Amino acid sequence: MKARLFLILIFLTVLTVLITNDKFTLIEPFIFFVYGKEITVGTELTLAVTVLTTLFGVLIVGILEALFFSKKSKAKKE
């Protein structure tokens, strides 16, 4: 259930970013240079990176939960 809630919230965040395209500014855009290329970092990119790290975090938590905290079934009843 937790994973579904996270995914719904992430979807709503991405939908909000798409709807408010360049109309809503949380962070003033600034220019970032990577290997001689110019990247403008603004609200949309910041939210996209936040969503991506949240998805990876949920994935890692899900894998750890499945590995260490899952109930292992005892011998099958016959």
Side-chain angles (χ1 to χ4, degrees):
M1 183 65 185
K2 291 184 289 185
R4 289 185 198 148
L5 179 64
F6 279 128
L7 292 175
I8 289 170
L9 290 174
I10 289 168
F11 174 75
L12 290 175
T13 304
V14 171
L15 187 64
T16 304
V17 168
L18 291 175
I19 290 173
T20 61
N21 190 15
D22 290 333
K23 296 177 187 172
F24 185 65
T25 308
L26 290 174
I27 300 170
E28 287 296 320
F30 62 93
I31 297 172
F32 187 66
F33 290 100
V34 177
Y35 296 114
K37 293 189 179 184
E38 183 177 296
I39 298 175
T40 304
V41 178
T43 303
E44 290 86 7
L45 187 60
T46 306
L47 286 176
V49 169
T50 304
V51 167
L52 184 64
T53 54
T54 304
L55 280 174
F56 280 129
V58 169
L59 178 67
I60 290 171
V61 167
I63 290 172
L64 290 176
E65 186 176 5
L67 288 176
F68 296 114
F69 301 111
S70 64
K71 296 180 182 177
K72 296 181 180 178
S73 61
K74 295 181 180 178
K76 292 183 180 180
K77 296 180 182 178
E78 293 182 18

